[in-house]
Amino acid sequence: MITVRTVEIKDYEFINKWWLGWGEDHAPKLIDLPNRGLGGVVVEKDGRPIAVNYIYLTNSNMAYLANAISDPAYKNRDRMQIIQTLLDECVRRAEALGCTFIWCTSNERGVIERCKKSGFAVVDQQSIIIKSTK
């Protein structure tokens, strides 16, 4: 069963390992993440965390989705569907908070395709992806 929940501090044990597992030198610092690291969403399958994304809020009706990361060891066929669920939940939460403009940037083909499925549009060659909900 796939479930979604808010990031908890205890999650940073596996989140930091994921960043290193994908070849990054380090994970983002908690102070650089929304709500000091608690402004993110985790998607799990059968209780196993699979992917995380963060929702940055602004002092306007705009939200920015960033710092998505997934378990590099999870290779099951439903990986893309799980990531789609994560993106859709981030959009749902941003809209519930009153955001009418949601954006993210990526040059990863898989991320771009998931965003398109969520109603985002690619607006330039740097793959800036936007979604206006109104």
Side-chain angles (χ1 to χ4, degrees), residues 7 24 30 36 59 66 99 110 131:
V7 171
E24 297 295 329
L30 289 175
R36 298 215 177 260
N59 62 351
C99 295
K131 178 180 176 100

Side-chain angles (χ1 to χ4, degrees), residues 6 10 28 70 94 106 108:
T6 301
K10 67 180 181 170
S70 63
S106 180
E108 296 289 329

Side-chain angles (χ1 to χ4, degrees), residues 56-109:
Y56 290 78
L57 300 174
T58 68
N59 62 351
S60 69
N61 65 340
M62 183 171 56
Y64 178 60
L65 306 181
N67 289 315
I69 190 74
S70 63
D71 181 349
Y74 190 83
K75 307 285 188 200
N76 293 11
R77 292 182 139 184
D78 61 355
R79 178 182 177 80
M80 288 298 117
Q81 180 55 46
I82 289 171
I83 291 171
Q84 187 70 55
T85 298
L86 176 63
L87 178 60
D88 291 345
E89 178 65 12
C90 288
V91 168
R92 187 196 69 73
R93 288 182 184 206
E95 289 173 344
L97 292 168
C99 295
T100 58
F101 187 80
I102 304 166
W103 67 287
C104 59
T105 59
S106 180
N107 58 6
E108 296 289 329
R109 186 178 58 85

